[in-house]
Amino acid sequence: MDAADIVASVLVLGIIIVSLLSNVVVLICFLYDPEIRKQVPGLFILNLTFCNLLLSVSNMPLTLIGLITTGHPGGSDFCQIVGFLDTFLTTNSMLSMAALSIDRWVAVVFPLSYHSRIRHRDAVLALAYTWIHSLCFSTVATCRSWVGYHHLYASCTLCNVRARAAGTQFIIFTVALHSLTFLLTLIVLCVTYLKVLKVARFHCKRIDVITMQTLLLLVDIHPSVRQKCLDEQRQRRQRAIKKISTFIGTFVVCFTPYVITRIVELFSPWPISPHWGVLSKCLAYSKAASDPFVYSLLRHQYRKTCNLLANKVLKRSPLNSSSLRMENTAAQCQNNSNTTNNIQPTANKPVCP
């Protein structure tokens, strides 16, 4: 192993650990909190979490073994199964992200009719399509023996060497696969989230107009309060742009290098550096580690559930601190009553029940 392989091995190992831990936390939150299970996006997140977990325990470890041993991990049949999973899980996760973006678009653009437009039945039908879509491509590749160990990516995936005899058929298949998964998902993400951003900015402008009219009416308002209102306006706009940029940016950064490398590999007469191939594969793997934070763990509902679970594991009640404050207040009230002969409490003293 050279220095690049060592760095790549450490990177893959880190991605495996983060992906496993974060996706397991999302799964536990989904199973623990009934409110999350009732939400339609929860089904899409559950499917995405399932794909990421399975990818973390099947494909990533074999890539790590391939980097360490610099050879073929496992037998040919086993590698074909893992290659089938690689195509299926990657395609399924991309389409799940597209489904999530459509769900958010409907929720923002049609908030009053969201529950009638997006129901659990509709989510199940969308997930059924993602599974059928993914199974079709992965089954065709496996049946045609186009999956195997690819030294360029140090993983079991679509392999040009095994498909060399197919020629044009494999080229058409690869281009169709990435066009109907990566490109289709990217278009859906851009269209839906940019529309969401447009609606969000429109509402922000309406709020800004109302806020400015209110500030003009309040002539005697303190300058610090006026500045705070203006800062909140700017933060609202920045928050919306930041969220949309995160959704689209993580997808582009993680998947674009790998997809471009796969397409260039089909037509380039020059060999591609194995270090670049492994790096592009690691970036694709890193999406499984970032998805829990992008779509779940940074949301209020999931953070609340994580806090409840942490308190439960640590045998700590979330009401302990508030109970302690109430006890201190009651004791102080008792002392005040003894020294002031039950006079009315002032603003600086706690009010006794």
Side-chain angles (χ1 to χ4, degrees):
M1 293 178 62
D2 56 10
D5 290 335
I6 295 175
V7 172
S9 301
V10 174
L11 180 60
V12 173
L13 180 60
I15 293 173
I16 293 174
I17 295 173
V18 175
S19 179
L20 283 175
L21 292 178
S22 57
N23 283 285
V24 166
V25 171
V26 173
L27 183 59
I28 293 174
C29 291
F30 180 87
L31 297 175
Y32 179 82
D33 194 342
E35 292 299 324
I36 295 178
R37 294 197 299 270
K38 290 179 182 178
Q39 299 171 0
V40 174
L43 296 177
F44 299 129
I45 293 176
L46 178 64
N47 187 64
L48 183 61
T49 303
F50 166 78
C51 293
N52 291 336
L53 278 175
L54 198 54
L55 191 69
S56 301
V57 299
S58 61
N59 296 75
M60 295 185 193
L62 282 186
T63 300
L64 179 60
I65 295 173
L67 288 171
I68 295 175
T69 62
T70 63
H72 192 299
S76 177
D77 294 337
F78 179 71
C79 199
Q80 283 199 0
I81 295 174
V82 176
F84 170 87
L85 289 175
D86 179 76
T87 305
F88 171 78
L89 296 174
T90 304
T91 304
N92 201 339
S93 62
M94 287 186 185
L95 296 177
S96 297
M97 296 172 208
L100 276 168
S101 68
I102 294 174
D103 175 82
R104 290 299 87 200
W105 170 69
V106 175
V108 173
V109 178
F110 308 102
L112 299 180
S113 59
Y114 168 75
H115 292 290
S116 61
R117 291 173 179 268
I118 303 293
R119 294 164 292 182
H120 279 80
R121 184 185 64 182
D122 301 320
V124 171
L125 291 176
L127 290 178
Y129 170 76
T130 64
W131 277 65
I132 294 172
H133 184 117
S134 305
L135 281 172
C136 287
F137 280 101
S138 55
T139 302
V140 169
T142 305
C143 292
R144 296 299 301 270
S145 299
W146 290 344
V147 293
Y149 183 75
H150 203 314
H151 290 276
L152 178 61
Y153 308 102
S155 60
C156 297
T157 181
L158 289 175
C159 187
N160 290 13
V161 177
R162 295 180 63 89
R164 187 171 296 170
T168 306
Q169 294 180 357
F170 181 75
I171 294 176
I172 295 174
F173 173 84
T174 304
V175 172
L177 170 64
H178 295 301
S179 298
L180 296 176
T181 53
F182 170 79
L183 185 59
L184 175 64
T185 303
L186 180 59
I187 292 174
V188 172
L189 290 177
C190 291
V191 171
T192 54
Y193 282 132
L194 290 179
K195 285 184 176 294
V196 168
L197 180 61
K198 182 180 179 180
V199 174
R201 294 181 68 177
F202 172 75
H203 289 303
C204 285
K205 287 181 179 179
R206 292 182 60 184
I207 296 174
D208 293 346
V209 171
I210 296 174
T211 303
M212 293 303 299
Q213 290 176 348
T214 305
L215 293 176
L216 291 175
L217 292 175
L218 300 174
V219 180
D220 297 332
I221 191 173
H222 195 274
S224 63
V225 178
R226 186 189 301 269
Q227 185 61 40
K228 183 178 180 181
C229 293
L230 296 175
D231 292 340
E232 289 179 353
Q233 293 178 10
R234 184 172 61 254
Q235 290 175 3
R236 279 196 300 268
R237 292 191 293 267
Q238 292 177 350
R239 191 159 52 243
I241 295 174
K242 183 178 179 180
K243 287 183 178 180
I244 301 303
S245 302
T246 301
F247 290 139
I248 300 177
T250 53
F251 181 85
V252 172
V253 170
C254 293
F255 284 123
T256 300
Y258 178 70
V259 173
I260 291 178
T261 304
R262 299 300 314 227
I263 299 300
V264 170
E265 184 187 6
L266 297 174
F267 305 102
S268 176
W270 299 283
I272 300 175
S273 171
H275 299 317
W276 170 253
V278 172
L279 177 61
S280 65
K281 191 65 176 177
C282 289
L283 287 173
Y285 283 156
S286 66
K287 193 68 172 72
S290 64
D291 282 341
F293 301 98
V294 173
Y295 292 102
S296 305
L297 296 179
L298 297 181
R299 293 175 55 191
H300 172 72
Q301 186 68 37
Y302 283 87
R303 292 204 308 267
K304 178 183 175 182
T305 305
C306 288
N307 290 332
L308 291 174
L309 289 171
N311 291 328
K312 189 173 182 179
V313 170
L314 298 175
K315 308 295 184 181
R316 183 179 61 191
S317 173
L319 299 177
N320 283 346
S321 58
S322 60
S323 300
L324 183 60
R325 286 195 299 269
M326 292 178 64
E327 291 174 2
N328 293 335
T329 301
Q332 189 173 354
C333 287
Q334 183 66 32
N335 293 333
N336 291 335
S337 63
N338 292 335
T339 57
T340 60
N341 295 322
N342 295 326
I343 63 173
Q344 292 293 329
T346 63
N348 295 328
K349 296 179 181 178
V351 179
C352 303

